[in-house]
Amino acid sequence: ATDAAPPVAAFSWYCRWEDLSPFFSELLEKKNIPSNPKILVPGVGNDPTILEMHKQSGYSNIFAFDYAPSAVECCQKFLGEELMQSGNIQLSVADARDLSDAYDDETFDVVLDKGTLDSIYLIGNCKERKYHNLEQSVKELARVIQPGGFVMSVTAVATDAIDQIFDKMDGVWAKVLDTREEVYVTEDGFASVNVDATLLGWVRSST
């Protein structure tokens, strides 16, 4: 008999879900997002965030994708067969720059980006190409959000560029979270200093 494959080791980019959850939950409540929203998480692999979102917070309508089939396969192994068959988390292979084959317009209540836009921005040496790829990715994430929904980005590399791209979509997005210059504290007393990155958040206009 052959030995079973070893479990996939977890690695959390920037923070664990328990550190991020208070800010995410407060935005949901303040913006009157459904209690079990349809959530899109770009980028998968061995980051346990989507697993913790389901197990710790009870979210059961989570969609996630990655450009690399190997990353999706890694995530499938990490989540386990039972959870994958439950339908609570659905994984796809897709390119963040063009999600049209994977997701329709205005499909999701929330997008949670946790370092994936940073990763996209770091690829390659051409500054113009890097910015173009990032801009296409941001616009795609914006496209799939329903009016009244929000995007939260946990970022440490492409922070200013991500913010600039959202600002260029004038009249569509209202910024509701930015921890670059001051610590954000939730009504329950959780401080953003526990997140080793900047938190940015925007709500899409409902008109």
Side-chain angles (χ1 to χ4, degrees), residues 57-135:
S57 301
Y59 296 119
S60 58
N61 206 5
I62 301 172
F63 293 73
F65 70 88
D66 201 280
Y67 178 80
S70 59
V72 174
E73 182 179 350
C74 176
C75 188
Q76 289 172 336
K77 292 178 180 178
F78 183 79
L79 295 175
E81 184 177 353
E82 182 178 352
L83 182 53
M84 288 305 307
Q85 291 181 349
S86 72
N88 293 320
I89 299 176
Q90 299 186 40
L91 304 179
S92 300
V93 176
D95 187 336
R97 297 168 297 180
D98 184 1
L99 298 172
S100 57
D101 289 339
Y103 310 114
D104 293 332
D105 294 358
E106 302 179 3
T107 297
F108 298 97
D109 299 298
V110 183
V111 168
L112 174 61
D113 160 55
K114 189 165 174 276
T116 296
L117 292 177
D118 282 357
S119 298
I120 292 169
Y121 190 66
L122 287 171
I123 296 173
N125 297 316
C126 174
K127 184 176 180 180
E128 290 76 15
R129 174 58 60 181
K130 287 154 65 90
Y131 186 88
H132 174 75
N133 288 338
L134 180 66
E135 184 173 38

Side-chain angles (χ1 to χ4, degrees), residues 4 11 28 30-32 40-41 43 98 112 118 134 160:
F11 179 81
L28 285 181
K30 285 186 173 181
K31 301 306 172 184
N32 298 314
L40 179 64
V41 180
D98 184 1
L112 174 61
D118 282 357
L134 180 66
D160 292 342

Side-chain angles (χ1 to χ4, degrees), residues 143-162:
R143 176 185 64 80
V144 301
I145 284 287
Q146 296 183 16
F150 73 83
V151 174
M152 176 182 281
S153 180
V154 185
T155 167
V157 177
T159 310
D160 292 342
I162 295 169

